[in-house]
Amino acid sequence: MVNLFEIISAVPLFEGLPREQLNELRKITVSRRFTRGETIFSEGDPGNGFFVIAEGLVKIYKVSSEGKEQILHIFGVGEPFGEVPVFTGQPFPANAEALAKSHLLFFPRTDFVELITANPSLSLSMLAVLSMRLRQFTIQIENLSLKEVPGRLASYLIYLAGEQDGNNNIRLKISKNQLASLLGTIPETLSRIFSKMTDMKLIEVEGKNIKLLDRPGLITLSEHGKNQMAS
């Protein structure tokens, strides 16, 4: 049987909260499970609560009027998503889909707002998460609007290395097609850039496993982009 208290206690968002507050959170938590490819919510759906991933992987994305998908975020275990409508009372601004079999914790908006009103420490934790999310969006907008695709990929690989224990061996959690969407390009272009970066001895690729061979070179590429690959 799933122990919701243990799962909630391990979520970074609720780190440091006293046991009685964690128990209050457990009382309002709704456990939900989704299969791979299942829609969690769609853009425009009522923002009646937010989710935390207990198990699995979730993508947040938008679809253009021409049907092109743009992935905004990929979230994994312990990460919250859909939390902004909790404070604004507005509909979800994007779509969410399970990329793998997922166990999600759902926190209803009305119940959660009552909790944070009574517990300022929880409110501060949410503010920290929202501030970090805003920073991530700022970086993503900068990458998509100011950098060429090679620079975007280099930046993303450096980001992943920092996220995955800071070493030079990383593993992609998503397919290369999904990565292309996340970086605002097409799979064919991404494959060519991976090949070029491999030829330049910047990285070594084996399936979803990537080894960073020349981190300074990747940093230069992330800052100066396409010009560094011209040869």
Side-chain angles (χ1 to χ4, degrees):
M1 184 176 179
V2 174
N3 188 322
L4 284 181
F5 182 86
E6 289 184 0
I7 295 175
I8 293 169
S9 301
V11 173
L13 176 61
F14 307 133
E15 186 177 0
L17 292 179
R19 188 176 185 86
E20 57 268 23
Q21 290 185 20
L22 292 172
N23 268 320
E24 290 300 314
L25 282 166
R26 180 185 58 79
K27 291 176 184 176
I28 69 168
T29 303
V30 180
S31 185
R32 294 186 177 177
R33 296 182 182 275
F34 294 84
T35 58
R36 180 181 179 183
E38 188 174 356
T39 297
I40 299 165
F41 57 73
S42 298
E43 181 176 356
D45 284 351
N48 56 359
F50 74 99
F51 298 83
V52 172
I53 304 174
E55 177 187 357
L57 201 64
V58 171
K59 73 173 178 180
I60 307 298
Y61 67 100
K62 292 179 76 73
V63 178
S64 71
S65 57
E66 293 80 23
K68 181 182 177 182
E69 179 182 295
Q70 173 64 58
I71 296 178
L72 303 176
H73 283 295
I74 303 289
F75 293 127
V77 174
E79 294 187 283
F81 65 94
E83 67 274 23
V84 172
V86 169
F87 295 95
T88 64
Q90 296 179 351
F92 289 116
N95 309 285
E97 179 185 308
L99 290 178
K101 181 180 178 182
S102 299
H103 176 201
L104 307 181
L105 306 182
F106 177 71
F107 296 88
R109 178 177 184 268
T110 302
D111 293 336
F112 190 76
V113 168
E114 288 179 2
L115 268 185
I116 63 173
T117 301
N119 300 284
S121 56
L122 182 54
S123 182
L124 288 173
S125 295
M126 289 295 294
L127 182 60
V129 168
L130 291 174
S131 297
M132 181 178 67
R133 195 63 49 77
L134 178 60
R135 182 175 180 274
Q136 290 172 343
F137 266 122
T138 301
I139 292 171
Q140 184 175 20
I141 290 169
E142 178 187 349
N143 285 339
L144 291 176
S145 61
L146 301 179
K147 294 182 179 180
E148 298 286 349
V149 180
R152 297 177 208 166
L153 177 57
S155 296
Y156 185 73
L157 294 179
I158 293 167
Y159 163 77
L160 275 188
E163 185 184 58
Q164 298 180 17
D165 301 324
N167 61 42
N168 289 324
N169 296 299
I170 60 179
R171 179 170 176 79
L172 294 178
K173 299 178 182 178
I174 55 178
S175 70
K176 289 180 180 175
N177 283 358
Q178 291 163 344
L179 177 58
S181 174
L182 183 64
L183 297 179
T185 187
I186 58 175
E188 293 78 10
T189 298
L190 186 66
S191 293
R192 287 197 297 271
I193 296 170
F194 264 122
S195 296
K196 182 69 173 178
M197 290 170 71
T198 300
D199 292 342
M200 293 171 65
K201 307 297 183 184
L202 293 172
I203 60 174
E204 185 177 281
V205 182
E206 186 174 342
K208 288 192 173 185
N209 296 310
I210 300 173
K211 184 174 183 178
L212 309 189
L213 301 176
D214 182 2
R215 192 185 285 246
L218 284 169
I219 292 172
T220 299
L221 180 58
S222 73
E223 294 174 347
H224 301 287
K226 191 174 181 179
N227 292 338
Q228 296 296 315
M229 299 189 72
S231 63

